[in-house]
Amino acid sequence: MTRKVADCRKFPSEMDCSLTISGEEEEVVRAAAEHAVSVHGHTDSLDLRAQIRESLEDEKVSA
């Protein structure tokens, strides 16, 4: 299974957050939503999780 990556640097924020989360898709969506709520003050919702899911990229593996 291809691991997914959520990278906070792709989204503008006042904190200049540099967190990157990688893992299986559901793990990343859950962790990124928790991070968005606890650090960035967002409200956890289906819409937030959908936005996170849409922003995920496949992890680039170097050989």
Side-chain angles (χ1 to χ4, degrees):
M1 173 175 255
T2 303
R3 290 167 46 103
K4 298 293 185 177
V5 176
D7 189 343
C8 252
R9 295 174 296 180
K10 294 188 174 210
F11 301 95
S13 78
E14 295 173 4
M15 302 172 166
D16 288 328
C17 186
S18 64
L19 182 70
T20 299
I21 302 168
S22 66
E24 292 184 12
E25 184 170 334
E26 290 307 315
E27 295 173 320
V28 174
V29 171
R30 182 179 62 246
E34 291 171 4
H35 172 73
V37 169
S38 66
V39 175
H40 296 287
H42 293 281
T43 300
D44 194 356
S45 66
L46 292 176
D47 186 50
L48 173 66
R49 289 176 183 247
Q51 289 176 21
I52 292 168
R53 193 176 307 280
E54 289 173 15
S55 73
L56 297 180
E57 296 182 351
D58 290 345
E59 184 177 55
K60 293 173 181 64
V61 179
S62 38

